[in-house]
């Protein structure tokens, strides 16, 4: 039987605190076994990291491997002196961001931006509709900002296009989509260069804009952060998807050897969401296997599917379905329809559950009622809270194996790893858990603020980053 709503309750000081109530044996044993299921002890993280380093090396080899390690054609660290006005767009999971970035040339920048909500069916629309939607948003932005844009005859506004999906790039203004990720499935784009697709849609509306650079969000993050903070060596996204970019020495990239490049460095968009697609080291649970097999692209993005935003709520839902069918939770529920709806719970579900500060977990009660239409007893809430903690903790701990592997690969002893994305910025305790996991891997045994490899909040990658890369591209083409 569900309990009556409690009006008052004391505050729980922090999460991960043992509950003060006596739990029934079935709840207690479920909590224990789920904790064990999602556990990632230091030795597992170290084994994953070692395998990760080998996979990064394979990705750079001529033969290639699971991790694509895509050259991003940004061939120098920014100097901080890049200057000028650039347009930048970022096609995200839920909106299209359009910016005008004014690079100051002195490691500073200003941004004017608009956000456009994406149509609900965007993930499965047609290619032409996607690109004409983007062009229309840009047209509106240009119209609204015409008083500050350089629209003199014949001048084309340079645009950096942040497109955060794996694209093979032969040049900075080129990118063939290898495959959609993060639940996108728009026909007619995979296998095609997305730059002319966007340029054609812009030309159709006679907009004076030239797409000068195609940028992955990680590369943008890397470059934007390096522009303001020279200690930056990695750009990372922990959002709907996960990925990292870094600067590699060109003489360490065998697959570029035949190009006789003159540059010393090349930004690499690792696309390491695809790490361990062969399932050799990641401790997959049956829930990860279901998520993968029911996704639009089974067998791909193994790492991403275990840890990042788009999947956290779904892992929790699948576990709760099992717990319900085993008779552990929601025993008297009359209508469990929502519980059986795939992807009904986004990342805000575990996040809100972990954030509940109250001893009686009244916020958990509210969230479960609101999103699943189900009532909970106090001990069910304890179980759901503990599950959210296990899933959230696993996500943060596994995430940093990518950082550790890049640091080992480049032999970086001290640096800043610039991170962005909803999970990094908003998920409760992600930063602390990630830092602790990095410490576990390297064995520093130091407080977070003294870590030699520090995960820091990134600068605006898809705005400033895209603009700086567009500036570098223009400079290099002159
Ligand atoms: C994409 C990457 C992107 C990452 C973070 C992944 O699904 O393949 O290109 O960087 O998500 O947005």
């Amino acid at each position: 039987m569900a309990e009556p709503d409690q009006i008052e309750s004391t505050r729980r000081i922090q999460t991960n605190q043992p509950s003060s109530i006596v739990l029934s044996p079935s709840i207690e044993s479920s909590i224990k076994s789920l904790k064990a299921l999602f556990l990632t002890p230091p030795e597992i993280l170290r084994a994953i990291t070692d395998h990760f380093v080998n996979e990064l090396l394979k990705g750079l080899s001529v033969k290639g491997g699971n991790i694509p390690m895509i050259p991003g054609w940004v061939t120098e660290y920014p100097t901080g002196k890049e200057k000028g006005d650039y347009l930048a767009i970022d096609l995200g999971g839920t909106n299209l961001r359009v910016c005008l970035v004014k690079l100051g040339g002195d490691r500073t920048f200003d941004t004017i931006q608009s956000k456009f909500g994406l149509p609900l069916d965007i993930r499965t629309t047609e290619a032409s509709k996607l690109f004409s939607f983007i062009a229309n948003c840009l047209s509106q932005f240009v119209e609204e900002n015409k008083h500050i844009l350089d629209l003199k005859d014949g001048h084309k506004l340079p645009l950096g296009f942040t497109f955060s999906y794996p694209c093979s790039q032969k040049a900075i203004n080129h990118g063939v989509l290898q495959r959609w990720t993060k639940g996108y499935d728009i026909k007619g784009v995979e296998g095609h260069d997305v730059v002319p697709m966007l340029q054609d849609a812009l030309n159709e509306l006679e907009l004076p804009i030239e797409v000068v650079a195609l940028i992955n969000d990680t590369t943008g993050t890397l470059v934007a952060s390096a522009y303001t903070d020279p200690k930056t060596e990695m750009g990372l996204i922990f959002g709907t998807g996960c990925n990292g970019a870094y600067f590699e020495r060109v003489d360490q990239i065998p697959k570029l050897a035949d190009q006789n490049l003159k540059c010393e460095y090349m930004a690499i968009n690792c696309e390491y969401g695809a790490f361990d697609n062969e399932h050799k080291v990641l401790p997959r649970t049956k829930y990860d296997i279901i998520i993968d097999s029911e996704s639009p692209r089974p067998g791909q993005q193994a790492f991403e599917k275990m840890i990042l935003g788009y999947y956290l709520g779904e892992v929790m839902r699948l576990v709760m379905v099992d717990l319900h069918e085993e008779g552990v939770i929601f025993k008297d529920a009359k209508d469990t329809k929502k519980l059986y709806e795939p992807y009904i719970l986004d990342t805000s579900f575990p996040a809100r559950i972990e954030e509940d500060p109250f001893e009686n977990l009244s916020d958990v009660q509210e969230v479960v009622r609101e999103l699943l239409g189900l009532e909970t007893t106090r001990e069910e809430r304890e179980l759901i809270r503990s599950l959210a903690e296990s899933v959230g903790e696993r996500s943060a701990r596994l995430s940093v194996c990518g950082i550790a592997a890049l640091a080992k690969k480049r032999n970086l002893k001290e640096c800043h790893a610039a991170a962005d994305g909803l999970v990094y910025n908003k998920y409760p305790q992600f930063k602390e858990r990630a830092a602790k996991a990095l410490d576990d891997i390297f064995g520093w045994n130091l407080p977070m603020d003294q870590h030699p490899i520090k995960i820091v909040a990134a600068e605006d990658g898809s705005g400033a980053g895209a603009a700086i890369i567009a500036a570098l591209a223009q400079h290099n083409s002159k």
Side-chain angles (χ1 to χ4, degrees), residues 384-451:
I384 293 171
R385 159 77 145 233
S386 166
L387 170 62
E389 285 171 356
S390 296
V391 168
E393 180 139 25
R394 182 182 78 154
S395 156
R397 291 179 65 79
L398 288 180
S399 295
V400 301
C401 294
I403 304 179
L406 286 178
K408 284 195 166 187
K409 160 76 192 69
R410 283 281 329 271
N411 203 15
L412 299 167
K413 301 285 181 235
E414 261 182 56
C415 70
H416 286 171
D420 207 348
L422 209 65
V423 172
Y424 174 77
N425 289 319
K426 295 267 158 52
Y427 197 92
Q429 295 194 74
F430 186 88
K431 296 184 176 93
E432 294 76 8
R433 287 168 173 163
K436 169 76 178 65
L438 213 50
D439 196 334
D440 281 354
I441 295 173
F442 287 108
W444 299 316
N445 222 350
L446 287 170
M448 196 168 151
D449 60 351
Q450 289 172 30
H451 286 180

Side-chain angles (χ1 to χ4, degrees), residues 11-17 19 31 35 316 320 323 349-364 368 378-392 427-429 433:
R11 254 182 121 68
R12 229 179 167 123
I13 313 293
Q14 53 180 183
T15 54
N16 284 327
Q17 246 189 356
S19 137
I31 290 182
K35 272 195 177 144
M316 276 199 75
M320 288 191 295
L323 291 170
F349 181 76
R352 283 169 69 188
I353 286 177
E354 284 217 57
E355 264 159 4
D356 186 346
F358 297 108
E359 183 62 27
N360 67 341
L361 299 178
S362 53
D363 285 356
V364 175
V368 177
R378 166 74 192 280
E379 61 166 16
E380 284 174 345
R381 299 199 285 279
E382 291 291 342
L383 172 51
I384 293 171
R385 159 77 145 233
S386 166
L387 170 62
E389 285 171 356
S390 296
V391 168
Y427 197 92
Q429 295 194 74
R433 287 168 173 163

Side-chain angles (χ1 to χ4, degrees), residues 35-102:
K35 272 195 177 144
L37 186 69
F38 291 108
L39 207 63
T40 47
E43 58 282 10
I44 294 216
L45 297 185
R46 283 185 213 118
I48 295 173
T49 303
D50 290 345
H51 186 59
F52 217 128
V53 176
N54 289 333
E55 292 294 297
L56 296 175
L57 286 165
K58 261 200 224 163
L60 293 172
S61 72
V62 176
K63 190 160 169 259
N66 273 178
I67 304 184
M69 304 298 275
I70 302 172
W73 301 99
V74 181
T75 54
E76 56 205 309
Y77 285 75
T79 59
K81 295 196 177 122
E82 294 75 13
K83 201 171 171 325
D85 289 2
Y86 292 86
L87 289 176
I89 56 168
D90 178 14
L91 178 67
T94 47
N95 51 51
L96 175 78
R97 182 169 169 235
V98 181
C99 314
L100 167 66
V101 185
K102 292 177 165 292

Side-chain angles (χ1 to χ4, degrees), residues 447-471:
M448 196 168 151
D449 60 351
Q450 289 172 30
H451 286 180
I453 298 172
K454 238 185 239 129
I455 311 172
V456 298
E459 289 296 341
D460 175 14
S462 62
I468 297 157
I469 293 174

Side-chain angles (χ1 to χ4, degrees), residues 124-141:
T124 51
T125 190
E126 287 155 31
S128 57
K129 287 204 182 132
L130 171 72
F131 290 103
S132 70
F133 171 79
I134 300 177
N136 276 302
C137 295
L138 270 162
S139 166
Q140 196 174 318
F141 185 84

Side-chain angles (χ1 to χ4, degrees), residues 164-166 181-182 216-218 237 241-243 271 301 304:
S164 307
Y165 304 89
T181 57
K182 298 180 276 201
N216 186 263
D217 49 1
T218 51
I237 301 289
C242 86
N243 191 12
E271 288 295 339
Q301 301 294 98
E304 178 166 291

Side-chain angles (χ1 to χ4, degrees), residues 128-258:
S128 57
K129 287 204 182 132
L130 171 72
F131 290 103
S132 70
F133 171 79
I134 300 177
N136 276 302
C137 295
L138 270 162
S139 166
Q140 196 174 318
F141 185 84
V142 169
E143 180 57 32
E144 277 164 13
N145 293 289
K146 58 182 179 216
H147 55 291
I148 44 169
L149 291 168
D150 177 3
L151 293 171
K152 65 175 173 293
D153 256 6
H155 178 251
K156 295 234 170 186
L157 302 165
L159 170 89
F161 177 18
T162 301
F163 184 69
S164 307
Y165 304 89
C167 286
S168 313
Q169 291 195 266
K170 279 196 303 213
I172 188 69
N173 59 352
H174 167 271
V176 174
L177 177 64
Q178 296 179 343
R179 62 206 142 79
W180 285 114
T181 57
K182 298 180 276 201
Y184 265 81
D185 192 14
I186 302 174
K187 304 265 169 317
V189 190
E190 284 176 334
H192 297 275
D193 184 352
V194 294
V195 174
M197 284 178 153
L198 175 60
Q199 190 65 60
D200 288 351
L202 297 171
N203 296 349
E204 188 104 335
L205 298 185
E206 296 180 358
L207 289 169
I209 297 177
E210 185 184 352
V211 188
V212 298
L214 183 79
I215 300 133
N216 186 263
D217 49 1
T218 51
T219 317
T221 300
L222 169 70
V223 172
S225 300
Y227 182 77
T228 56
D229 169 13
K231 281 193 188 147
T232 310
E233 291 289 353
M234 297 170 209
L236 313 154
I237 301 289
F238 302 107
T240 320
C242 86
N243 191 12
Y246 74 114
F247 279 105
E248 183 56 273
R249 293 183 56 87
V250 168
D251 59 11
Q252 300 294 313
I253 313 177
K255 66 183 178 186
L256 289 184
D258 60 353

